[in-house]
Amino acid sequence: NSNGDGTGVSASNTIGITQSGNYANANVNVLGTSNQLSINTRGGSYNSVTATQNGSNNNATIDQSGGGNNTTTITQNSDNGLINLTTVGASNTTTISQTGGSTNGHSSVVDITGSSNTVGVTQNATAGNTTVNVKSVGNTNTFTINSNAH
């Protein structure tokens, strides 16, 4: 969905979705200009991605592989944000939210190998930007990261 209600501007956005496996789901909403979104799910059934980009020059790459029942939700309500998310395994839940920020935008790089992991990243700023990098190998881990710049 790009500017679904027709009240905003949606221009020069690039969305690429490749899904294999049964019952895969992608729910995408993009508003703004020059946003890029790449979604690749494979290796199992019931993989799901919900992505919202509302701003300009955001870049998100989501790669789910190695199993099914993975759920990813990303929200970029800012400009110049970067999300690079890789999950290898089954039954992983990942949520990344970026709001506010300044010229350079927020950055999240999350790399998870294993199953039944839960990752929640919230990046918020009234001034400045935040950077979050998470790398985990293992099962049934939980990460909750709140990064704020004032």
Side-chain angles (χ1 to χ4, degrees), residues 19-71:
Q19 294 183 301
S20 63
N22 297 319
Y23 309 105
N25 178 60
N27 182 355
V28 174
N29 292 287
V30 177
L31 187 64
T33 58
S34 301
N35 294 299
Q36 295 193 14
L37 176 62
S38 174
I39 297 171
N40 186 3
T41 66
R42 63 197 182 285
S45 297
Y46 296 101
N47 288 311
S48 176
V49 175
T50 301
T52 302
Q53 291 178 316
N54 185 358
S56 296
N57 301 308
N58 290 300
N59 188 333
T61 301
I62 299 162
D63 189 16
Q64 296 175 336
S65 66
N69 293 310
N70 293 298
T71 302

Side-chain angles (χ1 to χ4, degrees), residues 63-122:
D63 189 16
Q64 296 175 336
S65 66
N69 293 310
N70 293 298
T71 302
T72 296
T73 303
I74 67 157
T75 304
Q76 292 178 298
N77 284 323
S78 57
D79 295 329
N80 305 310
L82 171 69
I83 295 174
N84 190 344
L85 170 63
T86 303
T87 56
V88 180
S91 301
N92 294 298
T93 300
T94 309
T95 304
I96 301 173
S97 176
Q98 298 177 330
T99 304
S102 64
T103 306
N104 295 324
H106 298 293
S107 174
S108 278
V109 178
V110 177
D111 186 350
I112 304 296
T113 300
S115 295
S116 301
N117 296 294
T118 302
V119 178
V121 175
T122 302

